């Protein structure tokens, strides 16, 4: 009988040992396949899924930043206009005798463009004979002092007045003068000599030491500027 019990006892020991071995291997295999359990904290940081702190609100500036007024136009003021010379295509030019002063002529320049522009301080003017091929001897007026460009708003006019015979002399006047030539911007940067306009003068007009004023916004002011020109 003792010989038969020993094999049974040995078999039972083997079965129990095998079960323990399987139980010990279970967790190790699970860890290797799936990694650490979800939600476990990682070193140096909060657990996965933990809420983060909200960023503090940015403080409003204590003083509001000034804003540029709406509708402001860069070309509406004198500075903007002075930087933008007038185009001859956007100008209407007329010359007429001044009422009550037949020896004076009013040069009227109207800005027909959509924006402000500028003219030189005074127009370039000379007087001569329309039939002469040589214009080198044409007479130029003495100008009032001033070099600043004159701004002209859209739709507005500029005036310059020339006195053909300031002394009122009836003798010694230049013969054969029948034409007044006008280049409205004498600086020449945007208006070549080809843009000179020619205006006939009445027959028998007297021309002697003419003088001319600067561009002004009214005829009255243009006359005052002409009067201040040296003789």
């Amino acid at each position: 009988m003792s010989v038969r019990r020993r094999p049974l006892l040995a078999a039972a020991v083997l079965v129990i040992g095998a079960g323990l071995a399987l139980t010990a291997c279970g967790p190790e295999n699970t860890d290797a396949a799936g990694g650490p359990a979800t939600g476990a904290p990682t070193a140096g940081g909060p657990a996965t899924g933990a809420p983060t702190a909200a960023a503090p609100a940015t403080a409003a500036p204590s003083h509001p930043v000034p804003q540029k007024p709406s509708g402001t136009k860069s070309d509406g003021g004198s500075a903007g206009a002075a930087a933008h010379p007038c185009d001859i295509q956007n100008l209407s030019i007329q010359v007429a005798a001044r009422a009550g002063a037949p020896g004076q002529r009013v040069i009227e320049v109207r800005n027909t463009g959509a924006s402000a522009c500028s003219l030189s301080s005074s127009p370039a003017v000379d007087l001569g004979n329309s039939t002469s091929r040589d214009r080198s001897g044409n007479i130029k007026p003495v100008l009032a002092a001033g070099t600043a460009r004159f701004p002209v708003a859209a739709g507005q006019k500029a005036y310059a007045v020339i006195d053909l015979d300031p002394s009122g002399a009836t003798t010694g006047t230049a013969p054969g003068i029948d034409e007044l030539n006008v280049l409205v911007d004498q600086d020449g940067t945007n208006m070549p000599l080809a843009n000179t306009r020619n205006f006939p003068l009445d027959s028998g007009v007297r021309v002697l030491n003419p003088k001319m004023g600067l561009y002004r916004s009214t005829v009255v002011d243009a006359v005052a500027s002409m009067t201040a020109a040296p003789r």
Side-chain angles (χ1 to χ4, degrees), residues 138-225:
N138 284 8
I139 300 172
K140 296 182 179 181
V142 175
L143 299 177
T147 59
R149 294 186 66 82
F150 187 79
V152 188
Q156 299 302 307
K157 299 176 181 179
Y159 301 94
V161 173
I162 179 173
D163 192 334
L164 304 178
D165 183 12
S167 66
T170 57
T171 59
T173 57
I177 302 298
D178 65 356
E179 186 176 64
L180 176 68
N181 307 305
V182 179
L183 180 65
V184 293
D185 194 323
Q186 66 173 325
D187 288 349
T189 56
N190 193 51
M191 206 167 292
L193 290 175
N195 294 134
T196 299
R197 302 290 176 85
N198 312 110
F199 298 91
L201 295 172
D202 299 334
S203 60
V205 66
R206 296 186 179 91
V207 177
L208 180 65
N209 301 323
K211 65 178 185 176
M212 187 175 67
L214 305 176
Y215 277 125
R216 291 293 182 260
S217 56
T218 67
V219 174
V220 172
D221 289 342
V223 171
S225 177

Side-chain angles (χ1 to χ4, degrees), residues 56-78:
T58 303
S62 58
H63 300 286
V65 178
Q67 300 294 323
K68 182 179 180 180
S70 59
T72 301
K73 295 182 179 180
S74 61
D75 63 351
S78 298

